[in-house]
Amino acid sequence: MQAYYGVFCPPREAVLAGILDRPKNSEILVAKADRIVGMAAFGANYPGPGLKPGFFLKDLYVLNAERGRDIGTKLVTRLAALAVERGHSRIDWTAGRSNERLLRFYDELGGDRKEDRIFYRLEGEKLKALAAKA
C-alpha cells in the first residue's frame, strides 16, 4: 500500500508495532489467501445524540495483482455485515475524483455519491498551529 501511494514504508517491525499500537476504535479487516492480499481499515463514529453511529472506511486496499477478483467487494460486504450486526446506520468513505476505476467500483457496490460534501484534512504545521491556540 505504501508503494502504491508513493510514501515511505518503514521497516516490518515498525509496521507491526504501528498496527498493534493503532487507536483503540480503529479496526482492520484483512483478505488472506497464502498471504494478505487486501485490507479495509475503519473506525466507528459518533454522529450525535439520538442518531445511530456508523463506520468511516479510511482505507480499502487490494494488491494490484489481485484486483478484479472480488476481494474489495468481499471486504466491504463484510464491513456492511459488521455495521448491521453492531446497529450502525451507515458506512462513509472518500474516493479520489480522478480515479474512475475506483469510482465505478464504489458505484457498483451501491454507494451514493455525496457531491454536497468536501473532504478536509488538517495536518502537519497547520494542525500544530491550530492546537497551539487551545
Side-chain angles (χ1 to χ4, degrees), residues 9-19 36:
C9 185
R12 178 179 171 81
E13 298 77 28
V15 171
L16 294 174
I19 290 171
I36 293 176

Side-chain angles (χ1 to χ4, degrees), residues 85-126:
E85 289 169 17
R86 296 179 188 182
H88 294 347
S89 63
R90 67 177 185 254
I91 301 171
D92 293 323
W93 65 88
T94 63
R97 293 179 196 268
S98 63
N99 190 336
E100 285 298 323
R101 181 178 181 192
L102 181 61
L103 296 176
R104 279 192 309 277
F105 169 75
Y106 286 139
D107 289 342
E108 290 170 5
L109 283 177
D112 294 319
R113 293 187 190 191
K114 299 297 182 187
E115 303 290 343
D116 62 327
R117 300 286 185 253
I118 297 175
F119 177 72
Y120 280 91
R121 177 172 292 148
L122 185 62
E123 62 185 342
E125 292 305 314
K126 290 181 179 181

Side-chain angles (χ1 to χ4, degrees), residues 11-28:
R12 178 179 171 81
E13 298 77 28
V15 171
L16 294 174
I19 290 171
L20 293 174
D21 198 30
R22 70 185 183 278
K24 290 180 185 178
N25 293 327
S26 64
E27 299 180 60
I28 301 172

Side-chain angles (χ1 to χ4, degrees), residues 32-55:
K32 189 171 129 177
D34 57 336
R35 61 196 161 102
I36 293 176
V37 295
M39 65 85 148
F42 62 98
N45 56 37
Y46 173 70
L51 301 173
K52 289 191 173 191
F55 283 139

